[in-house]
Amino acid sequence: MPTFSSLSDDSSLSKIPSQFIWPDHERPTLDSPELHVPPIDLKSSISDDPVALSDTCRLLNQVCRKHGFFVVVNHGVDAELISKAHEFMDLFFGMKLEEKQRAGRKVGELCGYANSFIGRFSCKLPWKETLSFRYSAHAHSSTLVEDYFASALGEELRSSGKLYQQYCDAMSKVSLTIMELLGMSLGVGREYFRNFFEENESIMRLNYYPPCQTPGQTLGTGPHCDPTSLTILHQDHVHGLQVFVDQQWHSIPPNPQAFVVNIGDTFTALSNGMYKSCLHRAVVNEESVRKSLAFFLCPNEDKVVSPPSCLVDEKNPRIFPDFRWPTLLEFSQKHYRADDKTLEAFSNWLFQTTLSTD
Ligand SMILES: C=C1C[C@]23C[C@H]1CC[C@H]2[C@]1(C)CCC[C@@](C)(C(=O)O)[C@H]1[C@@H]3C(=O)O
Ligand SMILES: O=C(O)CCC(=O)C(=O)O
Ligand SMILES: [Fe+2]
């Protein structure tokens, strides 16, 4: 069981605390088929080969309109860097609970160590531990991550912070390349979204899913769409990520050489609803720990999330209001548990909030 504190102990009735037991209709099923999406070769897509570029943009348009999930290979990120990032997770999450809780996430805040999410939710708790921190692509924020590690985890872990600074720099670079391709696939041009996310202020999350005695009763991460713009996820060799496509959960086969990428709510708003925010979840198993590295691309706080005018016309009227990312983040942290309706709920909340302050 994840290293949890103060849980009500009715475990006499089941092997895991009742707060982690999900309703029957949300529990994982054993018959999830694998989802095979042709991987996008990042290097050849942005080479001078017009055929490769055209094929990639066509595939992106097809899968992003359908479910918002794709896979990238030949991404250029150093395998050693990825391996070291996973190694740190074994070190950190293997620490004693009191050591991890030195970086404990405070209610309403995003950064820090969390387990059981008992402080945030009263039921359907995710079977995982997480460590989340912020990243900024601004040139003057080049020590943001290492400074966080040193202050929250101790000076002796500053070097691990440097490692994750490098990892996030690599994720930001891959994200911007993907934004070029997404821009071209939507017909808005190569630079539009790249420029929008150039100085991104993103979120890095380490997910650690301990084995569970009754994996069919719980979920590592519940069904949701990421409220962010784009998620670049590296899962280890253990199955767990599932995507909801054609009215069925599909398992994503692990591929250590690949990153799995999904569109988030904020990019759905930027695309005026044309690209879907991917509905996904993570299941756990009885035998082994599962880990994933999730980089959540977010625009900086000054950017107004509003679709380019070429994506709005009489056939495609505006769907979502203008907003800034920090407002949606605050909504997801303080007012709403992210699910597959976050953007709709946020739009209504924004409208109500605006009405009540007018
Ligand atoms: C902005 C964020 C909130 C969450 C982490 C990032 C992007 C994904 C969000 C989350 C994973 C969606 C499912 C619910 C959640 C509470 C979780 O299981 O961790 C979400 C994250 C969060 O609010 O901490
Ligand atoms: O661990 C995974 O595979 C998915 C995690 C996830 O969806 C998230 O952290 O938002
Ligand atoms: Fe997610």
Side-chain angles (χ1 to χ4, degrees):
M1 179 192 311
T3 46
F4 303 133
S5 51
S6 69
L7 286 172
S8 67
D9 181 16
D10 54 8
S11 48
S12 55
L13 305 176
S14 66
K15 290 183 178 175
I16 64 175
S18 59
Q19 299 96 321
F20 290 91
I21 298 177
W22 287 64
D24 286 351
H25 69 283
E26 294 190 79
R27 291 184 189 181
T29 51
L30 297 175
D31 60 349
S32 298
E34 289 197 343
L35 179 69
H36 290 282
V37 175
I40 287 169
D41 181 311
L42 223 40
K43 191 172 180 187
S44 63
S45 296
I46 56 166
S47 65
D48 297 334
D49 175 356
V51 174
L53 179 58
S54 158
D55 289 349
T56 294
C57 290
R58 189 178 312 108
L59 174 62
L60 276 176
N61 192 284
Q62 176 197 344
V63 297
C64 291
R65 283 179 182 275
K66 183 174 171 67
H67 48 61
F69 175 86
F70 52 96
V71 177
V72 296
V73 293
N74 207 359
H75 43 65
V77 179
D78 179 15
E80 183 66 17
L81 180 59
I82 298 170
S83 170
K84 284 180 177 169
H86 276 279
E87 279 170 28
F88 172 79
M89 285 203 275
D90 292 325
L91 169 79
F92 175 74
F93 291 105
M95 287 178 176
K96 295 191 185 74
L97 180 59
E98 53 273 22
E99 286 180 299
K100 292 184 277 190
Q101 281 180 330
R102 278 168 42 194
R105 180 172 170 178
K106 297 175 181 60
V107 176
E109 288 188 10
L110 186 84
C111 293
Y113 168 76
N115 68 44
S116 75
F117 288 65
I118 190 73
R120 279 181 71 189
F121 311 123
S122 56
C123 65
K124 301 201 294 186
L125 299 186
W127 192 265
K128 66 179 174 185
E129 297 175 66
T130 62
L131 178 66
S132 308
F133 47 91
R134 290 178 183 276
Y135 165 81
S136 168
H138 288 276
H140 60 252
S141 302
S142 59
T143 64
L144 181 68
V145 177
E146 69 177 82
D147 292 344
Y148 173 75
F149 268 61
S151 63
L153 304 178
E155 193 59 39
E156 68 279 10
L157 290 181
R158 178 176 288 275
S159 58
S160 299
K162 288 182 193 285
L163 167 76
Y164 276 98
Q165 179 77 40
Q166 286 174 21
Y167 185 85
C168 291
D169 285 338
M171 290 299 104
S172 180
K173 187 178 172 196
V174 169
S175 299
L176 295 179
T177 301
I178 291 172
M179 279 301 159
E180 289 184 28
L181 296 170
L182 289 172
M184 288 185 278
S185 74
L186 277 166
V188 304
R190 188 167 198 148
E191 298 306 322
Y192 186 87
F193 291 125
R194 182 186 178 94
N195 293 342
F196 190 86
F197 288 100
E198 191 79 47
E199 295 196 328
N200 63 87
E201 293 170 352
S202 297
I203 299 163
M204 184 71 208
R205 165 164 285 189
L206 315 184
N207 290 307
Y208 188 87
Y209 303 96
C212 177
Q213 286 184 323
T214 55
Q217 287 188 315
T218 190
L219 286 169
T221 296
H224 69 282
C225 301
D226 295 337
T228 44
S229 293
L230 190 76
T231 305
I232 304 192
L233 188 126
H234 188 270
Q235 50 175 355
D236 63 10
H237 58 288
V238 180
H239 274 81
L241 176 62
Q242 297 187 338
V243 171
F244 196 73
V245 183
D246 293 333
Q247 300 307 309
Q248 190 176 19
W249 287 104
H250 288 73
S251 177
I252 304 303
N255 173 359
Q257 278 72 48
F259 287 110
V260 293
V261 186
N262 62 261
I263 300 290
D265 291 338
T266 300
F267 196 83
T268 291
L270 279 170
S271 70
N272 195 28
M274 289 179 192
Y275 281 6
K276 286 227 179 347
S277 187
C278 174
L279 177 53
H280 58 287
R281 70 182 187 184
V283 300
V284 292
N285 70 80
E286 204 168 347
E287 291 81 33
S288 47
V289 165
R290 178 175 176 266
K291 304 193 299 290
S292 68
L293 295 156
F295 178 84
F296 299 108
L297 182 72
C298 309
N300 70 51
E301 60 184 7
D302 305 323
K303 292 289 185 190
V304 174
V305 177
S306 186
S309 52
C310 60
L311 298 183
V312 183
D313 57 30
E314 59 281 355
K315 280 197 297 181
N316 302 285
R318 280 293 300 272
I319 301 177
F320 306 105
D322 287 1
F323 62 91
R324 286 182 174 78
W325 161 243
T327 310
L328 176 51
L329 176 60
E330 181 189 355
F331 180 71
S332 81
Q333 295 308 295
K334 295 179 181 171
H335 307 290
Y336 193 85
R337 179 174 185 175
D339 55 16
D340 61 337
K341 296 182 179 56
T342 310
L343 200 50
E344 180 188 341
F346 172 65
S347 300
N348 295 334
W349 176 80
L350 211 52
F351 180 67
Q352 293 301 326
T353 311
T354 313
L355 270 186
S356 63
T357 48
D358 281 353

Coordinates of all heavy atoms in Angstrom, one line a residue, residues 319-321 323 328 331 336 341-356:
I319 N -16.2 28.3 -28.7 CA -16.9 27.3 -27.8 C -16.5 27.7 -26.4 O -17.4 27.6 -25.5 CB -16.3 25.9 -28.0 CG1 -16.6 25.4 -29.5 CG2 -16.9 24.9 -27.0 CD1 -16.1 24.1 -29.8
F320 N -15.3 28.1 -26.1 CA -14.9 28.4 -24.7 C -14.5 29.9 -24.6 O -14.1 30.5 -25.5 CB -13.7 27.5 -24.3 CG -13.9 26.1 -24.6 CD1 -13.3 25.4 -25.7 CD2 -14.8 25.3 -23.7 CE1 -13.6 24.0 -25.9 CE2 -15.0 24.0 -24.0 CZ -14.4 23.3 -25.0
P321 N -14.7 30.4 -23.4 CA -14.3 31.8 -23.2 C -12.8 32.0 -23.1 O -12.1 31.0 -22.9 CB -14.9 32.1 -21.8 CG -14.9 30.8 -21.1 CD -15.2 29.8 -22.1
F323 N -9.4 32.8 -21.3 CA -9.0 32.7 -19.9 C -7.4 32.6 -19.8 O -6.8 32.5 -20.9 CB -9.6 31.4 -19.2 CG -9.2 30.1 -19.8 CD1 -8.1 29.4 -19.4 CD2 -9.9 29.6 -20.8 CE1 -7.7 28.2 -19.9 CE2 -9.6 28.3 -21.4 CZ -8.5 27.6 -21.0
L328 N -7.5 28.5 -14.6 CA -7.9 27.1 -14.7 C -7.2 26.2 -13.7 O -7.8 25.3 -13.1 CB -7.7 26.6 -16.2 CG -8.0 25.1 -16.5 CD1 -9.4 24.7 -16.0 CD2 -7.8 24.8 -17.9
F331 N -8.8 26.7 -10.4 CA -10.1 25.9 -10.4 C -9.9 24.4 -10.2 O -10.6 23.8 -9.4 CB -10.8 26.1 -11.8 CG -12.1 25.5 -12.0 CD1 -13.2 25.9 -11.3 CD2 -12.3 24.3 -12.8 CE1 -14.5 25.3 -11.4 CE2 -13.5 23.7 -13.0 CZ -14.6 24.2 -12.3
Y336 N -12.5 22.0 -8.2 CA -13.0 21.0 -9.0 C -12.0 19.9 -9.2 O -10.8 20.1 -9.4 CB -13.4 21.5 -10.4 CG -14.2 20.7 -11.3 CD1 -15.6 20.6 -11.2 CD2 -13.6 19.8 -12.2 CE1 -16.4 19.8 -12.0 CE2 -14.4 19.0 -13.0 CZ -15.7 19.0 -12.9 OH -16.5 18.2 -13.7
K341 N -14.9 16.4 -17.8 CA -15.8 17.6 -18.0 C -15.3 18.9 -17.4 O -16.0 19.9 -17.2 CB -17.2 17.3 -17.4 CG -17.9 16.1 -18.1 CD -19.3 15.9 -17.6 CE -19.9 14.7 -18.3 NZ -19.1 13.5 -18.2
T342 N -14.0 18.9 -17.1 CA -13.4 20.0 -16.4 C -13.6 21.3 -17.2 O -14.0 22.3 -16.6 CB -11.9 19.8 -16.2 OG1 -11.7 18.5 -15.6 CG2 -11.3 20.8 -15.3
L343 N -13.3 21.3 -18.5 CA -13.3 22.5 -19.3 C -14.7 23.1 -19.3 O -14.9 24.3 -19.2 CB -12.8 22.2 -20.7 CG -12.3 23.4 -21.5 CD1 -11.4 24.2 -20.8 CD2 -11.7 22.8 -22.8
E344 N -15.7 22.2 -19.4 CA -17.1 22.7 -19.4 C -17.5 23.3 -18.1 O -18.1 24.4 -18.0 CB -18.0 21.5 -19.8 CG -19.5 21.7 -19.8 CD -20.3 20.4 -19.9 OE1 -19.7 19.4 -20.3 OE2 -21.5 20.4 -19.6
A345 N -17.1 22.6 -17.0 CA -17.4 23.0 -15.7 C -16.7 24.4 -15.4 O -17.3 25.3 -14.8 CB -17.0 22.0 -14.6
F346 N -15.5 24.5 -15.9 CA -14.7 25.7 -15.7 C -15.3 26.9 -16.4 O -15.4 28.0 -15.9 CB -13.3 25.5 -16.2 CG -12.4 26.7 -16.2 CD1 -12.1 27.4 -15.1 CD2 -11.9 27.2 -17.5 CE1 -11.3 28.5 -15.1 CE2 -11.2 28.4 -17.5 CZ -10.8 29.0 -16.3
S347 N -15.8 26.6 -17.7 CA -16.4 27.7 -18.5 C -17.7 28.2 -17.8 O -17.9 29.4 -17.6 CB -16.8 27.1 -19.9 OG -15.6 26.7 -20.5
N348 N -18.4 27.3 -17.2 CA -19.7 27.7 -16.5 C -19.3 28.4 -15.2 O -19.9 29.5 -14.9 CB -20.5 26.4 -16.1 CG -21.0 25.7 -17.3 OD1 -21.2 26.3 -18.4 ND2 -21.2 24.4 -17.2
W349 N -18.2 28.0 -14.5 CA -17.8 28.6 -13.3 C -17.3 30.0 -13.6 O -17.7 31.0 -12.9 CB -16.7 27.8 -12.6 CG -16.1 28.4 -11.4 CD1 -16.5 28.4 -10.1 CD2 -14.8 29.1 -11.4 NE1 -15.6 29.0 -9.3 CE2 -14.6 29.4 -10.0 CE3 -13.8 29.4 -12.3 CZ2 -13.4 30.1 -9.6 CZ3 -12.7 30.1 -11.9 CH2 -12.5 30.4 -10.6
L350 N -16.6 30.2 -14.7 CA -16.0 31.5 -15.1 C -17.2 32.4 -15.4 O -17.2 33.6 -15.0 CB -15.2 31.3 -16.3 CG -14.0 32.2 -16.6 CD1 -13.1 32.2 -15.4 CD2 -13.2 31.7 -17.8
F351 N -18.2 31.9 -16.1 CA -19.3 32.7 -16.5 C -20.1 33.2 -15.2 O -20.4 34.3 -15.0 CB -20.3 31.9 -17.4 CG -21.5 32.6 -17.9 CD1 -21.4 33.7 -18.7 CD2 -22.8 32.3 -17.4 CE1 -22.5 34.4 -19.2 CE2 -23.9 33.0 -17.8 CZ -23.8 34.1 -18.7
Q352 N -20.3 32.2 -14.3 CA -21.0 32.6 -13.0 C -20.2 33.6 -12.2 O -20.8 34.5 -11.7 CB -21.2 31.3 -12.2 CG -22.2 30.3 -12.8 CD -23.6 30.8 -13.1 OE1 -24.1 31.7 -12.3 NE2 -24.2 30.4 -14.1
T353 N -18.9 33.3 -12.2 CA -18.1 34.2 -11.4 C -18.1 35.6 -11.9 O -18.2 36.6 -11.2 CB -16.6 33.7 -11.4 OG1 -16.6 32.3 -11.0 CG2 -15.7 34.4 -10.3
T354 N -18.0 35.7 -13.3 CA -18.0 37.0 -13.9 C -19.4 37.7 -13.7 O -19.4 38.9 -13.3 CB -17.8 36.8 -15.5 OG1 -16.8 35.9 -15.7 CG2 -17.6 38.1 -16.1
L355 N -20.5 36.9 -13.8 CA -21.8 37.5 -13.6 C -21.9 38.1 -12.1 O -22.4 39.2 -11.9 CB -22.9 36.4 -13.7 CG -23.5 36.2 -15.1 CD1 -24.7 35.2 -15.0 CD2 -24.0 37.5 -15.7
S356 N -21.4 37.3 -11.2 CA -21.6 37.7 -9.8 C -20.7 38.9 -9.4 O -21.0 39.6 -8.5 CB -21.2 36.5 -8.8 OG -19.9 36.2 -9.0

